[in-house]
Amino acid sequence: MTILVLGGSSQIGHFLLPRLRASGEQVLALSRHPRPGQTGVDWLQGALPAAVPALPPLSAIISFGPLWALAEWLSNAPLSDAPRVIATSSMSAETKRDSSVPAERDISRQLREGEAALAAACARHGCAWTVLRPTLIYGAGLDKSLTPIARRAMRLRLFPLPAGRGLRQPVHADDIAQAVLAALECPATAGRILSIGGGERMPAAEMFARVRRSLPRSTVPLPLPAWLLRLGQRALPPLRGPLTRLDADLVADNDELRRLLGISPRPFRPDPSMWLSPV
């Protein structure tokens, strides 16, 4: 097999590429910037949708980038075979659908439209496709959610702990990588959108508390009570969406993931290494 990975330098790609190399597959990875040599991975320089170099026949395409760009490229790509396509979207497609913030509703709509565009592009080539919708991703020090909070707290030695009754289900990037590999070998997932969350649900306040306890430096806890968060929603409109969601459940149903792929993501047990950038 020759597998093209789009987003190989992402947090999921960080775990997927070594697993692909270990399986003996021929791997091509696309990057906007030159990458150092890596045993078992041929890095190509380019970008979706219009700056992709010539490619050999592919057996699979794995993408962790924007769905619209992938769909646009696939629509015009001269694919000689019908490669299997695995891509990631986000649970925000559902959890932000009815948000009180218009920009967040737009994000949800764009994700769902991107998923539909990808399905249509794959149909033109006769490609089987699967989309994974992860919840909040962590594990490689590359995420834009928990890692910035952890690093800021280590720098300031102060950790804000917002009250939050809404449930969270963080998913480790390596569990998503394992789901991608399983989907490659599972015809039953063709044409499906599968949600994937972590193996444990907890209140948002507990999630932040666990991050704080995992840090390699001591920090002073700064509780942010519910009344203060409500005040923040009114006084700081850009934060209205994130603050409102603290009391909303942002979770995924893993039943189909377990039934079809045999994947059971790990519980949320962060450690200090997860907040450091990979070398």
Side-chain angles (χ1 to χ4, degrees), residues 214-227:
S214 74
L215 299 181
R217 295 182 181 179
S218 62
T219 59
V220 176
L222 178 62
L224 302 177
W227 67 265

Side-chain angles (χ1 to χ4, degrees), residues 22-101:
S23 70
E25 308 294 357
Q26 182 179 354
V27 181
L28 303 176
L30 187 71
S31 173
R32 286 187 176 88
H33 309 289
R35 296 279 173 181
Q38 192 173 3
T39 303
V41 177
D42 292 327
W43 283 96
L44 307 175
Q45 190 169 353
L48 294 180
V52 179
L55 299 168
L58 301 171
S59 55
I61 298 169
I62 299 170
S63 176
F64 305 126
L67 291 168
W68 271 110
L70 174 62
E72 183 177 343
W73 171 69
L74 279 175
S75 295
N76 302 296
L79 301 178
S80 57
D81 298 312
R84 186 81 162 85
V85 177
I86 313 290
T88 53
S89 178
S90 169
M91 277 302 296
S92 292
E94 290 300 326
T95 58
K96 293 181 180 178
R97 184 192 287 260
D98 299 317
S99 171
S100 61
V101 180

